[in-house]
Amino acid sequence: AIRMLSSYIGLDSFFRGVRAYLQKHKYANASTQDLWRALSDASGVDVNEFMAIWTRTIGYPILTVEELPGGTQIQVRQNRYLSAGAVSDDEDQVLWWVPLRVATPGSDAQRTTDVLTTRNATVDVPVGTAKWYKLNQDTVGIYRVKYPPGAVANLATAIAAGELEVNDRIGIIADAAALASSGHSNTSDFLTLLRAYRNETELVVWQEISLRLDVLQSVWADEADVIDKIRALTQSLFSPLAKRLGWDAAAGEDSLNSRLRALAIRYAGCSGDSAVVAETKRRFAAFFDGDRSVFNTDTLRAAFVVAVRTGGREEFAKVQEYYLDAANPVDQQLAAL
């Protein structure tokens, strides 16, 4: 909530208010209201009016977007979001203060005038002419967004073309996965959106994708046909990444790339990539024959996971023995957990 607040009033006003708050109360007790008052004085915005809702109310909203005829406006409706899905009238009484931060190609990153404080609101957005639009720019707001199908398709195109920043790419995946898990949208919509991330290069985005795929698999654990489709998509996403990065680090490679390689190997292998599984088994055997150079700390953990999941009792026993051997480095022992 603090990050959402600071993005709304601006970092300069936020830090000016914090400095004034600390200066005024440096030798005295203070309350949350004192902080809100200082931030209000610094920004000219009644901070307490909306922060009271976020700090004293459980939960957060889902915003449902509807494109209005004419192509110049959208209607946004807020309701309480529950991971279980449907919300009763008694559970949906709170109206949050929600900064919409609507972004379009080339729009001002600090746009702060559109704030949702009622159940419904109409917002000017050039839907008909803009290539895409996105609420919650930079993903600083605490809420989920459900877009109409056409808007999702446009965002997917923008992601594939590299037009969105990292935080927005993460936020779109997080929202789509959460809505699929809660039943607010179809699982197929989320899986289709994932295809736009085939050329993604950032570790944090791939981590979000892998996390959401894990959650989705747990939700559909009893549906074998759905699990097969999720694993097939997982393989189509991570296999090209694993192939591109290879197994061995390039000279001068940073740690983020090493961790991305390990993530790609793990998910490509566990989803059934035969080339990754075969190379894992080859290196796994070489490692336990004494060649410790075949893995670094990152790929060691990934290889252990793939070897155990695609192997059998023998692979499990070797990893277990390795973990219990106190002579091994601690970080490598932990890789066997």
Side-chain angles (χ1 to χ4, degrees):
I2 290 294
R3 187 178 178 219
M4 181 169 61
L5 169 62
S6 64
S7 70
Y8 176 69
I9 66 176
L11 285 177
D12 290 343
S13 296
F14 179 79
F15 286 126
R16 187 164 59 250
V18 171
R19 284 194 298 268
Y21 164 78
L22 294 175
Q23 180 65 27
K24 183 175 181 179
H25 301 284
K26 61 183 177 181
Y27 299 121
N29 294 328
S31 68
T32 305
Q33 299 305 314
D34 294 319
L35 175 59
W36 300 156
R37 192 174 299 112
L39 292 172
S40 297
D41 292 342
S43 64
V45 176
D46 186 357
V47 171
N48 183 66
E49 179 184 5
F50 52 81
M51 286 306 291
I53 299 174
W54 285 103
T55 56
R56 299 176 184 176
T57 304
I58 297 174
Y60 56 88
I62 173 177
L63 305 189
T64 303
V65 179
E66 177 186 353
E67 297 174 357
L68 300 180
T72 60
Q73 293 181 317
I74 60 173
Q75 180 172 281
V76 184
R77 176 182 177 84
Q78 66 162 299
N79 298 95
R80 184 179 180 186
Y81 173 80
L82 292 178
S83 60
V87 178
S88 68
D89 291 341
D90 290 341
E91 296 171 318
D92 195 19
Q93 298 297 313
V94 177
L95 293 177
W96 280 271
W97 172 91
V98 186
L100 297 179
R101 291 180 62 84
V102 182
T104 56
S107 62
D108 183 1
Q110 295 302 317
R111 183 179 179 187
T112 59
T113 55
D114 293 324
V115 178
L116 180 64
T117 58
T118 57
R119 181 67 68 188
N120 298 279
T122 299
V123 182
D124 291 334
V125 176
V127 176
T129 57
K131 293 169 59 179
W132 52 266
Y133 64 90
K134 181 186 181 295
L135 278 65
N136 198 11
Q137 186 176 30
D138 297 328
T139 315
V140 295
I142 308 172
Y143 55 90
R144 301 294 184 193
V145 183
K146 180 181 179 181
Y147 297 96
V152 175
N154 291 338
L155 285 171
T157 300
I159 291 167
E163 296 178 10
L164 297 181
E165 298 297 325
V166 170
N167 285 347
D168 287 323
R169 301 200 300 271
I170 293 174
I172 289 170
I173 278 295
D175 282 355
L179 297 181
S181 295
S182 63
H184 286 91
S185 65
N186 295 327
T187 300
S188 58
D189 294 339
F190 166 62
L191 299 179
T192 300
L193 177 63
L194 280 178
R195 299 182 187 279
Y197 289 80
R198 291 182 187 278
N199 297 321
E200 180 59 56
T201 59
E202 294 292 335
L203 170 64
V204 289
V205 180
W206 282 111
Q207 288 175 325
E208 184 69 27
I209 291 172
S210 63
L211 170 65
R212 298 300 174 173
L213 285 169
D214 285 344
V215 172
L216 203 59
Q217 287 201 61
S218 69
V219 171
W220 292 97
D222 296 329
E223 302 289 340
D225 57 332
V226 177
I227 292 297
D228 288 342
K229 292 177 181 178
I230 294 175
R231 286 177 178 165
L233 177 60
T234 301
Q235 186 179 147
S236 73
L237 289 169
F238 283 94
S239 291
L241 182 64
K243 184 176 181 180
R244 176 169 62 83
L245 294 174
W247 278 82
D248 302 309
E253 182 179 84
D254 63 27
S255 62
L256 294 180
N257 212 54
S258 178
R259 291 164 60 191
L260 179 57
R261 173 183 295 105
L263 189 71
I265 289 170
R266 173 175 177 171
Y267 279 85
C270 289
S271 61
D273 184 311
S274 58
V276 171
V277 172
E279 182 63 11
T280 298
K281 290 182 177 179
R282 186 189 73 78
R283 291 180 180 245
F284 186 85
F287 182 84
F288 283 101
D289 283 340
D291 184 3
R292 296 297 195 250
S293 67
V294 293
F295 299 130
N296 61 25
T297 302
D298 293 321
T299 54
L300 177 65
R301 181 187 295 271
F304 279 2
V305 171
V306 174
V308 171
R309 289 193 181 182
T310 61
R313 186 174 297 276
E314 179 183 353
E315 287 79 8
F316 175 81
K318 286 184 176 181
V319 171
Q320 182 183 45
E321 182 181 2
Y322 186 83
Y323 170 70
L324 295 174
D325 188 349
N328 291 319
V330 173
D331 61 334
Q332 294 189 21
Q333 283 183 287
L334 294 175
L337 278 177

